[in-house]
Amino acid sequence: MDITAAQGVSTANAAFAEAYGSGDIPALMEVFYAPGARVDGGAMLPSTTDADTIIGFFQAMRDQGFHTAELATATLADEGDMAVETGLATLAGEGGQRAAIRYLVVWSTSSGAWRVHTDFFAPAEG
């Protein structure tokens, strides 16, 4: 039985938060990103499809003290086997440090699993 984009994205976002929070960044790649996914964080992370570079970025965020992540969907357009999501990621750490990041993600599905195909993000203004 196929799951809807909303169900798949919600499940994948929760898996991202769990893997990031536990510090298992390689698992984050496995449960969240499709193989060869393009990730572009502008000045934070120049555009790449290299899994080791993406893992290094998220590990560096954890090393800076950001130990939890919450992804909040603002919009989700379901286009059948693809979907487009916008939202706000909040990374938090000890002592109240927080980073707010806006994102736009293109999702794709195969075999019922929704994974990120393209991920664009940048620090949230204000």
Side-chain angles (χ1 to χ4, degrees), residues 22-62:
S22 72
D24 191 351
I25 305 304
L28 178 152
M29 288 296 298
E30 183 106 3
V31 299
F32 195 68
Y33 289 105
R38 173 149 312 272
V39 179
D40 187 338
M44 296 173 69
L45 174 66
S47 184
T48 185
T49 59
D50 181 68
D52 290 337
T53 300
I54 299 164
I55 289 169
F57 168 77
F58 286 113
Q59 188 59 57
M61 294 301 291
R62 283 195 50 84

Side-chain angles (χ1 to χ4, degrees), residues 113-124:
W114 286 87
R115 297 289 180 265
V116 172
H117 180 269
T118 308
D119 185 2
F120 297 101
F121 59 88

Side-chain angles (χ1 to χ4, degrees), residues 70-99:
E70 178 184 330
L71 304 179
T73 301
T75 65
L76 182 66
D78 184 343
E79 300 296 328
D81 63 352
M82 297 195 77
V84 178
E85 175 195 18
T86 63
L88 182 68
T90 304
L91 305 180
E94 297 123 17
Q97 82 180 25
R98 297 176 75 74

